[in-house]
Amino acid sequence: MSDAAQPTAAEVRAAAEAVKTALDRHLAAVERRSGEDDPAVYEAFNQLAAAAEVYDELLYDRYDEVTPFEIPGTEDSLPPYAGPEEPNAISVLIRRDYAVAEPQRLLAQAQRVEAAEYGDGLGVDEDAAGTIHGALGIMFGEYEPDEIASRHKEFGLEEGDSTLWVTASDEPAEPGEWLEAPFEGVDPQRVVCRFDVSAVFDDEDGDDGEGAEDGDGTRRGGDTDELDDLDLDEDEDLEPLDAER
C-alpha cells in the first residue's frame, strides 16, 4: 500500500475508540439480556465484530501490526428466529459433499446397477456407466440420498462437509415454484434449526469421539457409519445389488 493510501494515526485512534464503545454496548446488552436469543445482544455482537475488524485492518495498514483477536464471521451464525410460531410448512435444505475417492469402485457399482436393471441389454446406455459423471448419475438415480450417505464408502465416495437447515414457512410452496433456484432466497430469521458436520469440528473437539458442534450450538453424536469396519477392498466383498430395485 502506498503512503498516500495509508490510514492516518488519527483514523487508527478513532477505530480503537469505536472498539471501546462497541465493547461497552455489548456488555450493557449482555447485562440487560431478556432471553437466550435477545436481538439486542445479537446486534451488539455484530457491531463489536465489525468495529474490531475495521480496527484490525487499519492497525495493520498503518503500523504493520495485528491484534490478538480472531474476528468471527457473522455469516456463520444465525440471527434470532423471527418466523411463525406455528409454521404451516417447512423446507429442509440439505447439502452433502463427497470426493470420488475410488473411481473404479464407483464405475463397478454403476455397471452392476445397469446389469441388474437391464439384464437383457435393452435400453442400456453403453457410455453411461463408463464415465465418472455417468456413473454418478446412475447411482444417485438409483439410490436415495440417505442411502448414498450410509453406503458412500461402498460406492467409492468419501464424505466431506454437510449441512442441514430446517426453515419455517407460512404456507406450502406452489408446485414447481422454486425448482429453478431451489437454494436461493433463504431467510436466516426463519431457520428453525441448523446442523453442520465438518472435519474442522473433529479437529477442535480432539479425539474424544464426542462428535461435532453444530452451527446452532447443539451437539451431535459422533460418526455412526456402520460401514467403517467393513473390508470392501475386493469387488467380491461388495453387497449384491437387488435386481428388483
Side-chain angles (χ1 to χ4, degrees), residues 1 6-7 12 55-67:
M1 176 179 289
Q6 284 185 341
V12 179
Y55 172 63
D56 188 80
E57 291 178 355
L58 293 178
L59 185 71
Y60 181 80
D61 291 343
R62 176 68 184 181
Y63 299 110
D64 197 24
E65 188 56 72
V66 296
T67 66

Side-chain angles (χ1 to χ4, degrees), residues 43-195:
E43 181 179 0
F45 172 87
N46 286 340
Q47 291 175 349
L48 176 57
E53 186 172 8
V54 170
Y55 172 63
D56 188 80
E57 291 178 355
L58 293 178
L59 185 71
Y60 181 80
D61 291 343
R62 176 68 184 181
Y63 299 110
D64 197 24
E65 188 56 72
V66 296
T67 66
F69 311 117
E70 180 180 355
I71 308 301
T74 56
E75 68 276 5
D76 293 337
S77 59
L78 293 173
Y81 177 73
E85 292 185 4
E86 298 182 3
N88 292 320
I90 63 169
S91 295
V92 180
L93 310 179
I94 301 176
R95 171 172 173 169
R96 296 184 178 123
D97 283 6
Y98 298 95
V100 181
E102 300 181 73
Q104 293 305 316
R105 181 177 289 269
L106 173 66
L107 293 171
Q109 286 284 26
Q111 289 164 4
R112 292 188 180 193
V113 169
E114 277 199 331
E117 186 73 19
Y118 304 105
D120 55 6
L122 298 178
V124 175
D125 183 347
E126 296 181 356
D127 296 330
T131 63
I132 296 299
H133 71 271
L136 288 170
I138 291 172
M139 299 306 293
F140 280 86
E142 177 71 11
Y143 298 103
E144 294 291 333
D146 287 344
E147 186 167 3
I148 294 287
S150 66
R151 301 175 63 184
H152 63 277
K153 289 186 177 180
E154 181 182 342
F155 300 152
L157 304 176
E158 181 179 298
E159 280 186 315
D161 289 356
S162 66
T163 187
L164 182 151
W165 294 32
V166 179
T167 66
S169 304
D170 296 309
E171 299 294 340
E174 294 293 330
E177 180 178 346
W178 47 258
L179 290 179
E180 291 186 2
F183 301 111
E184 289 186 1
V186 178
D187 184 351
Q189 290 190 305
R190 285 181 171 252
V191 176
V192 178
C193 56
R194 170 179 173 175
F195 303 99

